[in-house]
Amino acid sequence: MAKTKNYAKSVIKRGFRFRVLISLAVCLMNGIPISGNGLPGEYLINQIWRDAYSSHSLMTNTAFQSYIQYMSVYLTHAMTVSAEYQTSEATVLLPLGKMHTFGVSYTGSGASIDEGTAFDGNGDIVFTGKASDRNNVAILAYAINPVKGLSIGVNAQYIFNKTFSTEFKGYGGDFSLAYRFSEHEKLGYHTLGVSTHNLILQGEVDYASSMTLSWYATFLKSMIESQFDFSARDILAKKSEFDASSDKSFDMDFSYKLGIRLFNSVKVTGHVGMKYFGFSGGVQIPTSDDVRNISLLYQMAVPYGGAYPAHSFMAGAEFGQPRKETVAKGLKRKASLIPSDLYNKGMMLYSEGKYWDAYWVFSKILVEYPDFVKNDWVSVYSGRCLEMLDIRVASSTQYQKSAIKYSKSKSVHYANSGMMNIFYRNDDSKNVEKIHGELVKAGVPDSLRNHAHYLLGETYIKTKEYDKAIEMLSKVQDDHVDYLFARHSMAVAEILKENYEKALLYLKDCLSKNSKTPQEEEMVYRTFLFTGYIFYEEKEYANALASLSMIPKKSLIYEDALLGMGWISLRAQQYEDCLGYSRDLQGLTKWVVNFGEGALLEGYVNLMRKNYDVALEILGGASARLASAKKPSQEELSQNLEHYQQIRSNYEALGKSVETFGMEKQTVETLEKIDSLFLDQKEMKLKIDEHYRYVDEFNREHFFSRNLEIVREDIDYAYARVSKMAALKKSIIEQEKSQKKAQDIDKEIEKLKGQINKN
């Protein structure tokens, strides 16, 4: 073997001539072959002492460790018969992710003797007392599996040796490669590897370099294990570094082992090498989920030539979940981050009222991430987006799919509630009742149960089943968002039954709740209007005026309040207030009947104040305007409805396309088609909303137009009366003027008579 030049020089310089000889002698006496393979330094023993665990050693091949599945700890302790020379190794391996493995190990070997020797200054050998030799190496390793089968490993090592009282330190690095070329359940898992030892070495030590070629295999689900190692040492040594009498060529060594696991827990292995043979045996005990396996082994190696055997004791344990499972969970979590982000984005868009954009986000999740944990809710919100876009058929279909696919999820109740909304809008009272039956069962959230009561109650009002409506609406709890609307509808039902006292009680319930949304505020204003009109009919004018005055200008029914306050003020002879309400009404309303009502009130005020000419001007203009007024045309309504039905049909056909694209992966081509659909959707939705507004205005105008003839007659009657009063006033004025003129003439006559008599 090559000499360790720097090391030998340091020994001679310090007078420790026999340091190497002591270690070698201890080894040879106990039958352990020496070699530089496996540990840094030619004076250290061969890896035979841990052959049973060599596949787990960072010194054998770090790249092999990239195939481990569990966090592992391995401990080995070897000793000679007399226990004077001992070697220990501790290794910890940590798989991280799919490709990475980290490892750390400590290996120490050495001996101690009671009598050490050294040369004195005269060249004589003297006894120094107890002597020791200790060699230590710490390794930090990393292995990566960049592509399938191929692994790369690197080691960084720190060496600390102490001989008697002299210390030697060094550091270095090595690399290794491994390639798993077979992964077959029956033919086995086969891995080839190559590794270096002492390839890079700096410091106060100078050890021989080596290279090892390894083959490791397991068969029949790891029931059989086999490993072969071939080593070439002194591969970088120069001829000048060898002793003159030694063979100036690199050394070779090999070892082979074959093991079998019996009864799934007993392991027996045979070992053979160039300089030894032996066996190892022990148990491998499966334990809990946290500690997967514990192995306890004993190994005996017998050198050829009848030398004493070496004994090794080994223990190992595997912890936690396997790498594949951890990686799979990690990938699942990582993959779930993408749909989670999309889910949050979709929910944000939904909350902002951007239902079209939100729908495509939810559709993307359902198509591209079918295993996402929240897909039951994604499916519901996908249908809800279509519902908010008023695409009814596609929305109902999506709700039905969600209810069927996620029938065990709590989301099924929300899907049913969504379907009930669609049936209610479509005036499908039969299916409204059917879904209501599903939503009142046990396990349904109270919020959905209350909403179901409300929709069915409103359906009964549509079908004029007022008693059923009141009974159903009364089930809506006072802490539910529909409570205020339910109470108001109960009042409407009682009014339609002409039961004003009960209606007033329900309306008061509405006023006892705090409104939180614009819709609730408007319902409160409507309640004030109803109570005001009921008080008016009951001739409680003060209460009526107080209720109507609570309605602000921003309300949709403000002009209705103005009309009521105008008539109340007129009856209370508060003419200035009545004049203000009537003028505000005429300036605000676009309904000709309400304009006529406002003009009539203003005309009456001027009539009471005997401003006949002003009253005639106001009433005359109103009469002319109402003379040309017509009731809403049913024919026009029919034409608008026919046009709406055509748009609705096209809109639902667009919804079918939306549904189709929603089940496809969103490629560039698909996104272009979606953008094109969005333009059509916006245009159709505008026309549908225009129809809704038209119908609302038609119904409102139709409601007011029921009084058109009455208002027209009242204005004409008031105009005639004012005209008569004006003519009468004019006649009186003319008569008064004639009387005054006669009196003036008489006075002139009397004056002339006096002058005549005087003359």
Side-chain angles (χ1 to χ4, degrees):
M1 296 183 181
K3 295 188 301 181
T4 58
K5 297 187 296 181
N6 296 338
Y7 175 77
K9 290 178 182 179
S10 64
V11 171
I12 294 173
K13 185 178 294 185
R14 292 170 176 79
F16 299 114
R17 183 179 181 124
F18 295 131
R19 192 200 80 78
V20 178
L21 296 177
I22 291 174
S23 295
L24 295 180
V26 174
C27 295
L28 292 173
M29 283 191 302
N30 294 282
I32 300 178
I34 58 175
S35 174
N37 182 37
L39 285 175
E42 293 181 323
Y43 57 86
L44 297 178
I45 59 175
N46 190 288
Q47 73 171 16
I48 179 178
W49 64 279
R50 51 167 162 73
D51 200 25
Y53 273 176
S54 62
S55 61
H56 305 301
S57 174
L58 298 177
M59 288 189 175
T60 301
N61 191 310
T62 297
F64 276 3
Q65 312 317 314
S66 65
Y67 303 112
I68 67 169
Q69 291 295 314
Y70 301 93
M71 176 184 175
S72 309
V73 176
Y74 298 99
L75 305 173
T76 303
H77 183 73
M79 61 184 178
T80 60
V81 175
S82 61
E84 290 179 344
Y85 195 93
Q86 301 185 43
T87 303
S88 301
E89 182 179 65
T91 302
V92 178
L93 303 174
L94 178 63
L96 187 63
K98 182 180 180 181
M99 301 186 298
H100 309 285
T101 303
F102 294 89
V104 60
S105 72
Y106 164 78
T107 307
S109 64
S112 62
I113 57 177
D114 293 333
E115 294 183 352
T117 60
F119 288 106
D120 62 9
N122 299 322
D124 296 325
I125 296 177
V126 296
F127 291 97
T128 60
K130 188 172 184 179
S132 65
D133 177 29
R134 190 69 188 173
N135 308 284
N136 309 278
V137 59
I139 295 178
L140 183 63
Y142 168 71
I144 185 172
N145 180 206
V147 295
K148 184 177 181 180
L150 178 65
S151 296
I152 303 170
V154 292
N155 288 5
Q157 53 202 32
Y158 174 72
I159 304 163
F160 176 78
N161 299 335
K162 185 175 182 180
T163 302
F164 304 137
S165 60
T166 305
E167 297 179 353
F168 304 89
K169 299 178 181 179
Y171 56 90
D174 290 296
F175 81 95
S176 55
L177 296 173
Y179 182 71
R180 177 163 285 180
F181 59 90
S182 174
E183 292 184 354
H184 194 277
E185 185 175 352
K186 294 182 179 180
L187 298 179
Y189 289 71
H190 298 263
T191 306
L192 285 176
V194 60
S195 58
T196 66
H197 309 280
N198 303 322
L199 182 66
I200 301 173
L201 193 61
Q202 299 292 326
E204 299 172 325
V205 294
D206 191 6
Y207 299 148
S209 58
S210 65
M211 180 177 290
T212 300
L213 181 66
S214 302
W215 167 73
Y216 178 75
T218 59
F219 305 88
L220 302 178
K221 297 182 179 180
S222 299
M223 293 292 291
I224 299 175
E225 178 186 42
S226 181
Q227 182 172 344
F228 176 80
D229 296 301
F230 174 80
S231 299
R233 295 186 297 275
D234 297 329
I235 57 175
L236 299 180
K238 300 178 181 178
K239 290 185 178 181
S240 59
E241 295 176 334
F242 287 85
D243 291 332
S245 59
S246 65
D247 181 15
K248 298 178 178 58
S249 62
F250 60 80
D251 291 340
M252 293 183 295
D253 191 14
F254 73 86
S255 63
Y256 176 74
K257 67 179 180 182
L258 178 65
I260 185 170
R261 193 170 71 241
L262 304 174
F263 311 114
N264 204 38
S265 59
V266 178
K267 185 176 183 181
V268 179
T269 303
H271 304 263
V272 63
M274 183 177 288
K275 302 174 183 179
Y276 70 96
F277 69 94
F279 78 94
S280 62
V283 293
Q284 182 171 300
I285 308 169
T287 56
S288 65
D289 290 338
D290 293 331
V291 182
R292 303 288 299 190
N293 290 296
I294 294 178
S295 58
L296 301 172
L297 299 176
Y298 163 74
Q299 175 185 298
M300 184 177 69
V302 182
Y304 297 131
Y308 292 112
H311 309 276
S312 300
F313 301 91
M314 306 174 187
E318 297 175 337
F319 302 90
Q321 296 178 331
R323 183 200 297 262
K324 290 182 179 179
E325 186 174 331
T326 303
V327 170
K329 288 183 177 180
L331 290 174
K332 188 175 181 179
R333 283 193 300 269
K334 184 177 180 180
S336 68
L337 291 177
I338 300 175
S340 293
D341 291 341
L342 289 173
Y343 179 78
N344 292 334
K345 179 181 179 181
M347 293 302 295
M348 181 177 293
L349 290 170
Y350 179 88
S351 66
E352 294 173 352
K354 299 177 181 179
Y355 304 115
W356 179 269
D357 295 331
Y359 171 78
W360 295 109
V361 173
F362 292 134
S363 297
K364 182 180 180 69
I365 297 174
L366 292 174
V367 172
E368 299 184 18
Y369 304 96
D371 297 325
F372 179 48
V373 67
K374 293 184 178 180
N375 270 352
D376 48 353
W377 295 105
V378 172
S379 180
V380 169
Y381 274 100
S382 178
R384 188 167 290 180
C385 287
L386 295 174
E387 178 189 342
M388 299 306 292
L389 292 169
D390 201 23
I391 304 178
R392 299 179 185 178
V393 175
S395 174
S396 180
T397 302
Q398 181 61 36
Y399 282 138
Q400 290 173 1
K401 289 180 179 179
S402 179
I404 294 171
K405 186 172 183 178
Y406 303 104
S407 59
K408 302 299 182 182
S409 170
K410 293 181 179 180
S411 66
V412 67
H413 307 309
Y414 293 84
N416 286 333
S417 181
M419 284 189 283
M420 191 174 185
N421 292 337
I422 300 298
F423 293 142
Y424 173 76
R425 292 182 186 179
N426 290 337
D427 296 327
D428 189 347
S429 58
K430 182 178 180 180
N431 277 315
V432 169
E433 285 188 298
K434 181 179 179 181
I435 297 295
H436 177 268
E438 294 294 325
L439 290 174
V440 296
K441 292 181 178 179
V444 177
D446 289 342
S447 61
L448 298 184
R449 184 182 292 107
N450 280 278
H451 184 62
H453 293 329
Y454 172 70
L455 287 183
L456 184 56
E458 291 289 348
T459 300
Y460 285 143
I461 289 180
K462 286 183 178 181
T463 57
K464 299 182 179 180
E465 298 174 85
Y466 303 125
D467 290 333
K468 284 186 177 181
I470 293 170
E471 179 185 1
M472 188 58 58
L473 292 169
S474 67
K475 296 180 180 181
V476 179
Q477 298 174 350
D478 60 359
D479 59 347
H480 192 263
V481 294
D482 290 334
Y483 175 77
L484 188 151
F485 302 94
R487 249 22 198 186
H488 190 275
S489 294
M490 291 170 68
V492 170
E494 293 291 2
I495 291 172
L496 293 172
K497 292 172 59 181
E498 298 184 358
N499 192 342
Y500 299 111
E501 290 184 4
K502 284 189 176 181
L504 199 57
L505 292 176
Y506 296 139
L507 291 172
K508 288 181 178 179
D509 288 340
C510 295
L511 298 177
S512 66
K513 300 295 291 184
N514 294 325
S515 57
K516 299 178 181 179
T517 66
Q519 293 81 5
E520 289 177 339
E521 283 187 350
E522 191 62 34
M523 188 57 66
V524 169
Y525 302 149
R526 191 175 296 273
T527 300
F528 281 125
L529 180 69
F530 274 50
T531 56
Y533 278 10
I534 291 175
F535 284 136
Y536 179 82
E537 293 295 331
E538 298 295 327
K539 298 182 180 180
E540 298 182 28
Y541 301 128
N543 289 333
L545 188 61
S547 293
L548 295 174
S549 64
M550 296 299 293
I551 301 173
K553 291 183 178 180
K554 66 178 181 179
S555 174
L556 298 175
I557 56 173
Y558 179 62
E559 62 181 85
D560 302 75
L562 288 174
L563 182 60
M565 290 187 291
W567 283 109
I568 293 171
S569 299
L570 183 65
R571 293 214 175 191
Q573 297 182 3
Q574 297 176 353
Y575 298 131
E576 194 63 32
D577 290 340
C578 180
L579 196 61
Y581 295 139
S582 64
R583 288 174 177 174
D584 288 344
L585 179 60
Q586 293 175 74
L588 176 68
T589 187
K590 63 179 179 179
W591 311 112
V592 66
V593 177
N594 281 0
F595 177 85
E597 293 261 21
L600 184 61
L601 286 169
E602 187 177 5
Y604 279 153
V605 170
N606 283 282
L607 175 62
M608 296 302 177
R609 290 179 171 179
K610 298 182 180 181
N611 298 326
Y612 302 124
D613 292 339
V614 176
L616 283 174
E617 182 180 357
I618 294 171
L619 294 172
S623 178
R625 184 170 177 179
L626 265 67
S628 60
K630 296 180 180 179
K631 291 184 178 182
S633 170
Q634 290 291 336
E635 182 180 355
E636 184 180 343
L637 176 64
S638 299
Q639 292 177 352
N640 188 282
L641 182 59
E642 183 179 350
H643 180 61
Y644 161 75
Q645 290 173 343
Q646 181 61 46
I647 296 174
R648 167 59 67 181
S649 176
N650 295 336
Y651 195 56
E652 296 299 342
L654 179 142
K656 186 65 177 177
S657 298
V658 169
E659 186 180 3
T660 301
F661 289 131
M663 293 185 290
E664 297 180 2
K665 191 172 183 179
Q666 294 180 15
T667 62
V668 175
E669 293 79 7
T670 302
L671 290 174
E672 290 178 352
K673 294 177 181 178
I674 291 172
D675 290 340
S676 178
L677 279 178
F678 185 39
L679 297 176
D680 295 337
Q681 185 271 334
K682 288 192 296 183
E683 182 179 353
M684 292 183 189
K685 186 64 165 60
L686 286 174
K687 292 180 179 179
I688 289 174
D689 291 342
E690 287 175 1
H691 168 74
Y692 293 153
R693 284 192 293 271
Y694 173 83
V695 172
D696 286 342
E697 291 179 0
F698 179 89
N699 290 333
R700 187 170 175 80
E701 185 177 3
H702 184 266
F703 173 79
F704 288 128
S705 67
R706 292 183 303 175
N707 298 324
L708 178 61
E709 294 299 331
I710 297 175
V711 173
R712 184 184 290 153
E713 290 176 2
D714 287 347
I715 289 176
D716 290 343
Y717 174 77
Y719 183 84
R721 185 176 178 184
V722 172
S723 297
K724 184 176 180 180
M725 296 295 291
L728 180 60
K729 181 180 179 181
K730 187 177 181 180
S731 175
I732 292 173
I733 292 173
E734 290 295 332
Q735 185 178 357
E736 289 177 348
K737 285 181 179 180
S738 297
Q739 291 177 354
K740 185 178 181 181
K741 188 175 181 180
Q743 290 175 355
D744 291 341
I745 292 173
D746 290 341
K747 287 181 179 181
E748 287 294 329
I749 293 172
E750 290 295 328
K751 185 178 181 180
L752 289 173
K753 286 181 178 180
Q755 289 177 353
I756 293 172
N757 293 329
K758 186 178 181 181
N759 294 330

